[in-house]
């Protein structure tokens, strides 16, 4: 077998990834979870036909969703990850030595099972700071009693089980579950794909009305549709592009090295939006 | 006809663009030039099987290759474009009212002919400031007598007729053809594609050894392989990310409005490179 996996995202426009074998396939209660061995990207996790990550490019998404938010917070200790079943976001978060506890709430245990087996370097599941909950993230957030410093929404596209992660009620519950310095980061799809603009706009509107800061930013993900991916960093008190945040990023934290994408210049540069992108969020 | 055009760039990994019809196809002395009508990207120019631009995304490439270099120069008047037969780079350059003369040297008249007919909004060929030469850009540069303020290398990939645009001898000739404040910009492929790393590295090395500044930068081009595209802005005197450049960009020039991608924040942000990209250029 040497052919391509295709994800069409915009008419007949899409992405082809060369695959050598299908390693895993399971239709769960929630979605179709697949892992392919590819020609040049390592193993590839696909959910409901949409690329989630490859071993070769996953560092971009995970570094940018986590470190941007972590350095925005003055002293993050408790982190909640909604989704993120592959483990990559938790891995990046736990590189910060100040982190004491990470709760990861993944609705579908098959994602974690497949990732542990076929993406063994993505997660850091044996880390004692990490507690994995196989639950619905939306109800988990509504029942938080001890607030978090950081909530990272690491879900898939707003179709299927992740749809609720783009709803205002969920974002309000996240706001309530955050401490007074709380920071939230979430992925918000590609600005190049018109069908996602309403979701991007809705999430931004909710964050912008609740948090003091709601700043969209961008990163390059080669196996996501169009290669341009947007995220939002929302914060109750500290400015994601403020001087204190950039100072923390520049100073770094002990033990955080070997990043391939995130650095202090990239942190600031990612928030520089082309006008056509700004318009989508703010319209 | 409703199917996809495929460009495989990395093993069996590639891009699919939905096409409705083939509008133009000509095997010239130099290359195969094609134009397709697409489903959602307007018309698409393809050379030797490689996407050059679509009407919907061309603004990114053309704004970023031109305005970044134009604002780096303190007062650009004379511009030489090598390649750029679709006319988009010249169009952006001529938006700056200080520009008096643009020489565009396109080796293949079929590219201009196809673009005028099927990409009518991309070029501004009737502008009296523009002079089109159907010649080999490499020998044109070697025979320049009146120096240019700006040279923009707008060629295709380093395979086929554009191969010489990645050679040190060509870059040395460009340096000689530039005035004392001269600035050069060139496209340097995608950092995600390993087969292009030697060319990227060679061009950067040549620019870096000749010019005071040689600064790689990035932009998001959804129909180019991986969606991440690199360019280099090289300059004899003024720093592409220096205060004077950013002041000029922030102040703008009369009549330059309606840009969709380039703005002063994007100018600076584009030069913030992930470590894995910096390594490719500097190794």
């Amino acid at each position: 077998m040497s052919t391509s996996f295709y994800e069409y995202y915009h008419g007949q426009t899409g992405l082809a990834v060369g695959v050598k074998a299908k390693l895993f396939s399971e239709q769960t209660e929630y979605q179709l979870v697949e892992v392919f061995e590819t020609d040049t990207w390592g193993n590839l996790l696909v959910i409901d036909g949409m690329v989630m990550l490859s071993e070769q490019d996953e560092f971009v998404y995970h570094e940018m969703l986590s470190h941007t938010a972590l350095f925005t917070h003055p002293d993050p200790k408790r982190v909640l990850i909604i989704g993120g079943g592959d483990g990559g976001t938790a891995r990046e978060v736990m590189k910060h030595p100040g982190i004491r506890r990470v709760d990861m709430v993944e609705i579908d245990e098959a994602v974690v099972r497949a990732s542990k087996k076929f993406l063994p370097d993505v997660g850091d599941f044996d880390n004692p700071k990490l507690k994995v909950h196989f639950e619905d993230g939306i109800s988990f957030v509504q029942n938080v009693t001890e607030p978090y410093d950081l909530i990272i929404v690491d879900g898939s596209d707003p179709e299927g089980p992740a749809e609720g992660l783009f709803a205002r009620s969920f974002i309000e519950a996240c706001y309530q579950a955050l401490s007074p310095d709380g920071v939230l980061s979430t992925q918000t799809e590609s600005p190049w794909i018109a069908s996602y603009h309403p979701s991007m706009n809705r999430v931004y509107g909710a964050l912008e009305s609740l948090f003091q800061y709601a700043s969209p930013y961008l990163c390059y993900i080669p196996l996501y549709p169009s290669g341009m991916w947007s995220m939002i960093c929302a914060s109750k008190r500290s400015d994601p592009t403020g001087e204190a945040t950039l100072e923390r990023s520049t100073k770094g934290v002990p033990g955080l090295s070997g990043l391939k994408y995130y650095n202090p210049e990239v942190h600031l540069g990612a928030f520089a939006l082309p006008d056509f992108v700004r318009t989508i969020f703010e319209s």
Side-chain angles (χ1 to χ4, degrees), chain A residues 116-196:
Chain A
K116 280 182 173 173
K117 184 156 183 193
F118 295 109
L119 307 163
D121 295 332
V122 173
D124 180 15
F125 287 103
D126 294 332
N127 193 314
K129 293 178 181 177
L130 177 62
K131 167 95 172 120
V132 179
H133 310 255
F134 294 119
E135 294 178 38
D136 175 23
I138 293 167
S139 57
F140 188 97
V141 168
Q142 286 162 344
N143 294 302
V144 165
T145 49
E146 195 181 344
Y148 291 93
D149 302 312
L150 197 60
I151 297 179
I152 301 181
V153 185
D154 182 2
S156 55
D157 303 281
E159 292 161 355
E163 193 181 342
L165 306 182
F166 290 78
R168 187 180 171 94
S169 56
F170 170 71
I171 292 165
E172 284 173 346
C174 287
Y175 185 88
Q176 294 301 330
L178 281 165
S179 57
D181 278 322
V183 174
L184 177 149
S185 66
T186 183
Q187 73 87 4
T188 48
E189 310 293 313
S190 172
W192 283 105
I193 303 174
S195 58
Y196 287 129

Side-chain angles (χ1 to χ4, degrees), chain A residues 221-244:
Chain A
I221 304 185
L223 297 188
Y224 277 10
S226 89
M228 175 194 259
W229 214 248
S230 71
M231 300 173 172
I232 298 177
C233 184
S235 168
K236 289 188 176 182
R237 245 185 223 167
S238 60
D239 183 350
T241 59
E243 216 172 289

Side-chain angles (χ1 to χ4, degrees), chain A residues 47-267:
Chain A
I47 291 183
D48 282 345
M50 296 176 291
V51 170
M52 294 293 113
L53 62 88
S54 80
E55 288 178 304
Q56 289 302 312
D57 79 339
E58 57 88 16
F59 66 91
V60 181
Y61 179 89
H62 293 131
E63 289 185 18
M64 288 301 283
L65 194 63
S66 60
H67 300 300
T68 310
L70 283 156
F71 282 115
T72 296
H73 192 286
D75 185 22
K77 291 185 176 71
R78 290 172 46 78
V79 178
L80 172 61
I81 298 169
I82 304 294
D86 54 73
T89 297
R91 175 199 71 206
E92 291 302 317
V93 168
M94 293 186 296
K95 287 180 178 173
H96 287 243
I99 299 299
R100 297 204 186 139
R101 163 85 178 209
V102 177
D103 287 301
M104 190 184 108
V105 185
E106 168 58 55
I107 201 168
D108 193 344
E109 65 79 29
V111 175
V112 174
R113 181 160 36 90
S115 299
K116 280 182 173 173
K117 184 156 183 193
F118 295 109
L119 307 163
D121 295 332
V122 173
D124 180 15
F125 287 103
D126 294 332
N127 193 314
K129 293 178 181 177
L130 177 62
K131 167 95 172 120
V132 179
H133 310 255
F134 294 119
E135 294 178 38
D136 175 23
I138 293 167
S139 57
F140 188 97
V141 168
Q142 286 162 344
N143 294 302
V144 165
T145 49
E146 195 181 344
Y148 291 93
D149 302 312
L150 197 60
I151 297 179
I152 301 181
V153 185
D154 182 2
S156 55
D157 303 281
E159 292 161 355
E163 193 181 342
L165 306 182
F166 290 78
R168 187 180 171 94
S169 56
F170 170 71
I171 292 165
E172 284 173 346
C174 287
Y175 185 88
Q176 294 301 330
L178 281 165
S179 57
D181 278 322
V183 174
L184 177 149
S185 66
T186 183
Q187 73 87 4
T188 48
E189 310 293 313
S190 172
W192 283 105
I193 303 174
S195 58
Y196 287 129
H197 292 182
S199 306
M200 294 167 66
N201 189 257
R202 193 165 67 245
V203 170
Y204 176 75
L207 290 169
E208 192 257 343
S209 71
L210 290 164
F211 289 79
Q212 186 177 354
Y213 298 97
S215 308
Y217 61 105
L218 298 170
C219 58
Y220 293 89
I221 304 185
L223 297 188
Y224 277 10
S226 89
M228 175 194 259
W229 214 248
S230 71
M231 300 173 172
I232 298 177
C233 184
S235 168
K236 289 188 176 182
R237 245 185 223 167
S238 60
D239 183 350
T241 59
E243 216 172 289
T245 296
L246 297 173
E247 254 175 46
R248 282 190 289 271
S249 174
T250 303
K251 195 177 159 207
V253 291
L256 182 66
S257 63
L259 301 188
K260 287 186 273 187
Y261 194 95
Y262 179 91
N263 62 43
E265 294 77 33
V266 164
H267 179 123

